[in-house]
Amino acid sequence: TQPGLRIQRFQLEPSAESGRVFYALTLTQVKRNERYVRGVVEMEVEGLEDGTPKVLVFRNLAEDNTRALKYKFRYFQNFEGDIWIPPQFEPKKVRVLLKPEGKGQPPGVEKLMDWPT
């Protein structure tokens, strides 16, 4: 197993309330746990709005909508919360990006997944 940053778990659960989606994300660091990893989590939702391809950025969808999701951990870190998908938007895929900040950090991670139906 290569040392570095991992997306251990990523779940999206649409709620009964229209447009609201709960997310849960777990990040882990494989090996090299004596050092903190730090950076920013970004998420993008790719889909169609009125038939036209469009990308929505996570911070515009997040309920609290104020700050970036920052990670800093040695072993693992959990994030969870709600995002809101506009009614005219049809999500197709979600992209999770881990962007390291600072010197000597493991490389970033990008994961593209299908939107749960």
Side-chain angles (χ1 to χ4, degrees):
T1 312
Q2 288 288 96
L5 212 43
R6 293 274 186 289
I7 296 170
Q8 180 79 24
R9 181 180 73 110
F10 181 63
Q11 279 178 294
L12 291 170
E13 292 173 20
S15 78
E17 193 181 334
S18 177
R20 185 184 299 268
V21 179
F22 173 78
Y23 71 88
L25 172 68
T26 303
L27 307 181
T28 59
Q29 180 175 209
V30 181
K31 304 184 174 155
R32 293 182 64 187
N33 297 104
E34 71 283 355
R35 300 180 57 183
Y36 277 94
V37 288
R38 57 171 62 87
V40 178
V41 180
E42 288 185 7
M43 289 186 239
E44 298 170 347
V45 180
E46 300 176 7
L48 299 171
E49 188 169 88
D50 302 325
T52 309
K54 187 171 181 185
V55 174
L56 301 179
V57 233
F58 177 77
R59 64 177 170 269
N60 300 337
L61 303 172
E63 285 286 292
D64 48 14
N65 201 343
T66 47
R67 59 190 188 284
L69 289 180
K70 287 189 175 283
Y71 63 84
K72 182 185 178 191
F73 63 91
R74 279 169 60 182
Y75 297 98
F76 70 93
Q77 188 171 351
N78 292 314
F79 296 93
E80 55 183 43
D82 288 312
I83 55 175
W84 188 80
I85 302 293
Q88 71 280 12
F89 186 80
E90 186 189 344
K92 296 288 190 190
K93 292 191 177 298
V94 60
R95 184 185 307 271
V96 181
L97 302 149
L98 307 183
K99 297 188 169 177
E101 292 184 335
K103 286 209 290 271
Q105 290 289 312
V109 174
E110 180 174 327
K111 191 171 186 178
L112 184 64
M113 289 154 280
D114 289 328
W115 190 265
T117 46

